[in-house]
Amino acid sequence: MRIFVAGATGAVGLPLVRALCTLGHQVTGMIRAGRGVDRLRELGAAASFADAFDPKAVRAAIAAARPDVVIDQLTWLPADPADIVKSLPDDTRLHREGGGNLLAAARELGVGRYIMQSRGFFLDAPAGRLADESAGFRADAPGDVGESTRVMGEYEGRVLAAPSMAGVVLRYGFFYGPGTWYRPEGAIADQVRRGDARIIGNGNAVWSFVHIDDAVAATVAALTADPGVYNIVDDDPLPVAEWLPAFARWVDAPEPPRIGVEDALATIGEEAVYYHTRLTGASNGRAKAQLGFTPRPLLWKGPGT
């Protein structure tokens, strides 16, 4: 199978390329000029140089690759997770414009299947319940988070409605494991050790995680699965007040301090407060049934967590 991966050197993109090449697929990874070409070539993938914001370059790259499947793994993440809210406008623009360019080119060139990276943590569900695949995004979220959810929801809609193309939406949880922020030597562990990672308010927002290797396995399975939406999350959704102290213990860090909501609003901002007080976990039943998804237990979830 010929597969075109945009964002091929990202947190999911690179291990996905490795897995696809190992399985014998012909893989082309789209990257910006001068960045990551050797990492792709050593895996056996071809490198295609294109800026996602340049529609002509994106179309030319896809046309040259002649793929059966296009996979959008584009993302714009800062080096420091403390800057995640600041980076959201750039990430939102990347999905709106870069993802739009990918989808338009894939449709025009007759690509048969389109798989997109979406989010399994901005979903809307009643309090105390997990969001399934029918859930929409919380478009009323504050500030840049709200704009991100609206753009992502619109993008999902275009992918699923594309005629003559099998559209697959993978709503990933927060990634952890090799190459991510959430690992013993990762950026979040460093934050926790410095005492910079604090629990805001009651820390009642529920987060769903997924190990990066499990996310890759689900994406590979999506190459031939029924079109539609899949939540790619593990079986251990936990509120911040539970998972963050457990993570601290896992990386041999002190217990995270707490900060009140009012103080957090004044010093960190409403988006950060939203992450700790309003996020909803997701269920993974459809992924298990249709993709054969078998996520490992959350690695830092200990007894009583």
Side-chain angles (χ1 to χ4, degrees), residues 30-33 48-58 93-94 98 101:
M30 190 183 91
I31 58 176
R32 298 182 69 176
S48 180
F49 301 108
D51 186 331
F53 293 114
D54 184 340
K56 292 182 180 179
V58 170
R93 177 177 172 241
L94 181 61
N101 291 337

Side-chain angles (χ1 to χ4, degrees), residues 11 15 24 113 120 136-137 150 176 178 198 244 280 282 286 296:
R113 178 169 289 249
F137 287 95
R150 291 186 289 272
Y176 77 94
R198 294 169 288 179
L244 187 52
T280 299
R286 186 165 192 258
R296 70 202 69 193

Side-chain angles (χ1 to χ4, degrees), residues 1-5 26-30 46-50 55-70 102 105-106 108-111:
M1 190 179 293
R2 294 187 301 273
I3 302 172
F4 185 91
V5 181
Q26 182 179 327
V27 182
T28 299
M30 190 183 91
S48 180
F49 301 108
K56 292 182 180 179
V58 170
R59 188 191 186 285
I62 295 177
R66 298 183 296 110
D68 303 297
V69 182
V70 167
L102 278 172
E108 183 180 342
L109 294 166
V111 174

Side-chain angles (χ1 to χ4, degrees), residues 5-267:
V5 181
T9 56
V12 182
L14 197 63
L16 175 61
V17 168
R18 180 185 295 113
L20 294 171
C21 289
T22 299
L23 292 170
H25 296 291
Q26 182 179 327
V27 182
T28 299
M30 190 183 91
I31 58 176
R32 298 182 69 176
R35 300 182 62 183
V37 60
D38 290 338
R39 286 189 285 175
L40 292 178
R41 288 175 176 166
E42 69 186 8
L43 294 176
S48 180
F49 301 108
D51 186 331
F53 293 114
D54 184 340
K56 292 182 180 179
V58 170
R59 188 191 186 285
I62 295 177
R66 298 183 296 110
D68 303 297
V69 182
V70 167
I71 303 178
D72 177 3
Q73 293 290 351
L74 293 170
T75 190
W76 191 309
L77 291 176
D80 185 347
D83 294 328
I84 184 64
V85 173
K86 295 179 183 177
S87 76
L88 271 176
D90 289 326
D91 186 70
T92 298
R93 177 177 172 241
L94 181 61
H95 289 293
R96 180 177 56 242
E97 299 178 22
N101 291 337
L102 278 172
L103 180 59
R107 290 179 60 180
E108 183 180 342
L109 294 166
V111 174
R113 178 169 289 249
Y114 191 94
I115 300 172
M116 66 165 284
Q117 175 185 146
S118 187
R119 293 176 176 145
F121 43 85
F122 288 155
L123 303 176
D124 191 11
R129 296 181 59 182
L130 299 177
D132 63 17
E133 286 79 5
S134 67
F137 287 95
R138 284 201 167 133
D140 62 345
D144 293 325
V145 173
E147 179 63 13
S148 175
T149 65
R150 291 186 289 272
V151 167
M152 192 61 71
E154 292 167 1
Y155 185 17
E156 283 192 2
R158 292 197 305 273
V159 168
L160 296 173
S164 304
M165 177 186 289
V168 180
V169 172
L170 300 180
R171 291 175 167 176
Y172 300 111
F174 289 100
F175 298 127
Y176 77 94
T180 74
W181 290 339
Y182 294 89
R183 55 191 174 90
E185 300 305 321
I188 295 295
D190 291 341
Q191 278 191 343
V192 176
R193 293 189 185 102
R194 293 193 306 266
D196 293 339
R198 294 169 288 179
I199 299 170
I200 299 174
N202 293 327
N204 55 310
V206 176
W207 288 35
S208 286
F209 288 88
V210 64
H211 191 281
I212 199 72
D213 291 341
D214 295 333
V216 167
T219 308
V220 171
L223 292 173
T224 55
D226 289 342
V229 179
Y230 298 90
N231 292 340
I232 309 303
V233 298
D234 67 19
D235 294 323
D236 299 302
L238 290 171
V240 175
E242 294 184 27
W243 76 254
L244 187 52
F247 180 84
R249 292 190 292 272
W250 187 57
V251 300
D252 297 321
E255 184 85 2
R258 289 179 177 264
I259 181 173
V261 169
E262 293 302 320
D263 288 340
L265 285 171
T267 58

